[in-house]
Amino acid sequence: MVTGRVQLRGAEAKEGGAVAESAMAPSVSAYHHFAPTVSDVEASAQWYERVFGMTRLPVVFPHHGGEKGGYAVVLMEPRSGIVLGLHHHDTNPGQPFDERRTGLDHMSFSVAGRADLDAWAGWLDSLGVENSGVVDTGDPLPYSVVVFRDPDNIQLELFYMAG
């Protein structure tokens, strides 16, 4: 079912002045935000502020569609502009996250260089955040990563792949 979209026929179709090719998805300009459901929104907000240096926006946001029974606390990392929406649901039983269930597996953040991973591993260690240290691998491609988890057990990665 197509709703609110132009069905493309032939090589091109126009909608609102934009030209789209029938065999290519429209482009996106950037990653906007990551929004996990957490068991304790205040504890998680404090953790992300401490670990990533994020700044909390001074308002809470209703869930999409305005459904009752929850809200999101939104934080932003000031240098990169990465946005995080920590969601509270009144009916959340507080179970820890498990990537083996349908849904999110992990969230990965890029860093500019391999040395940044060393700095991150040291930073996480100084905060007492358990982490993998820097892991360099060549399988299936050469990359380096630091893996750690937030208070709800959501796996986070800091990732570097040489260009």
Side-chain angles (χ1 to χ4, degrees), residues 4-86:
R5 301 279 181 205
V6 172
Q7 278 190 305
L8 301 174
R9 302 201 194 291
E12 296 179 341
K14 265 192 163 182
E15 179 182 349
V19 176
E21 294 182 29
S22 61
M24 185 180 293
S27 68
V28 294
S29 60
Y31 157 84
H32 189 269
H33 69 276
F34 166 56
T37 295
V38 297
S39 61
D40 182 336
V41 75
E42 291 304 322
S44 290
Q46 291 171 14
W47 188 87
Y48 279 91
E49 287 171 326
R50 185 170 58 97
V51 172
F52 285 96
M54 292 184 157
T55 302
R56 184 175 178 161
L57 275 59
V59 296
V60 296
F61 290 80
H63 287 148
H64 175 73
E67 63 265 23
K68 298 191 182 336
Y71 58 90
V73 168
V74 178
L75 300 106
M76 179 182 288
E77 198 284 324
R79 293 165 293 185
S80 67
I82 289 176
V83 177
L84 174 68
L86 300 171

Side-chain angles (χ1 to χ4, degrees), residues 89-101:
H89 293 274
D90 291 344
T91 58
N92 180 352
Q95 298 169 320
F97 173 79
D98 185 343
E99 62 268 13
R100 295 168 294 191
R101 286 181 255 180

Side-chain angles (χ1 to χ4, degrees), residues 86-135:
L86 300 171
H87 283 259
H88 165 81
H89 293 274
D90 291 344
T91 58
N92 180 352
Q95 298 169 320
F97 173 79
D98 185 343
E99 62 268 13
R100 295 168 294 191
R101 286 181 255 180
T102 301
L104 176 72
D105 187 85
H106 68 276
M107 181 63 189
S108 186
F109 300 88
S110 292
V111 297
R114 168 62 176 74
D116 294 317
L117 292 176
D118 291 320
W120 268 104
W123 173 249
L124 293 170
D125 288 343
S126 76
L127 296 175
V129 175
E130 187 176 328
N131 67 87
S132 65
V134 180
V135 177

